[in-house]
Amino acid sequence: MPSLLALGLGACAPSGPAPVTAYTLDCTQGFDAIRADILARPSVKPAPDAPGEPYETFNEESGRASYIFTKPEAPAHPAVFIQTATRRDGARVMEHEGCAMGDPAAYDQLLAYWESVAAAR
């Protein structure tokens, strides 16, 4: 009988926090709206500042996604992209998606830089 009581109590126990849903990037919203939406997510925290870098980074507490926003002095500004950790063929890889709202060539260079950083990890 004690095991039945334990099962009953377990059913009433609070569940863990709800899983964080992925942010769906919609470039038509524009840079400021996307940034505001992402920063309003309760699980998003600023990454350590990288002095002198023309971007700012925020991370999901789960470590599954990072959000990179260009600063006004960045050649690619305004631009945003999301770096998401996933598994492919058993290996952890980083996938990127983003919005180039400024200079597309500068955005491509910034994205290539972040992809090289991810590949080096």
Side-chain angles (χ1 to χ4, degrees):
M1 197 63 147
S3 61
L4 289 177
L5 180 60
L7 285 175
L9 290 175
C12 295
S15 61
V20 175
T21 57
Y23 181 79
T24 303
L25 190 58
D26 176 3
C27 297
T28 63
Q29 290 182 298
F31 180 84
D32 293 331
I34 292 169
R35 188 174 186 282
D37 283 352
I38 290 173
L39 296 185
R41 294 169 64 89
S43 60
V44 170
K45 305 296 180 214
D49 188 38
E53 295 294 345
Y55 52 80
E56 55 184 344
T57 306
F58 297 83
N59 299 317
E60 290 282 354
E61 287 180 330
S62 67
R64 300 180 111 196
S66 295
Y67 306 98
I68 295 93
F69 302 97
T70 56
K71 293 179 180 177
E73 66 270 18
H77 188 72
V80 58
F81 67 93
I82 300 172
Q83 186 178 56
T84 307
T86 190
R87 290 220 172 263
R88 189 176 305 131
D89 299 325
R92 183 174 183 229
V93 296
M94 301 305 277
E95 294 180 344
H96 299 89
E97 68 172 314
C99 302
M101 299 161 203
D103 181 340
Y107 173 83
D108 289 345
Q109 289 179 343
L110 181 62
L111 184 56
Y113 165 75
W114 277 97
E115 288 176 340
S116 71
V117 168
R121 289 183 187 168

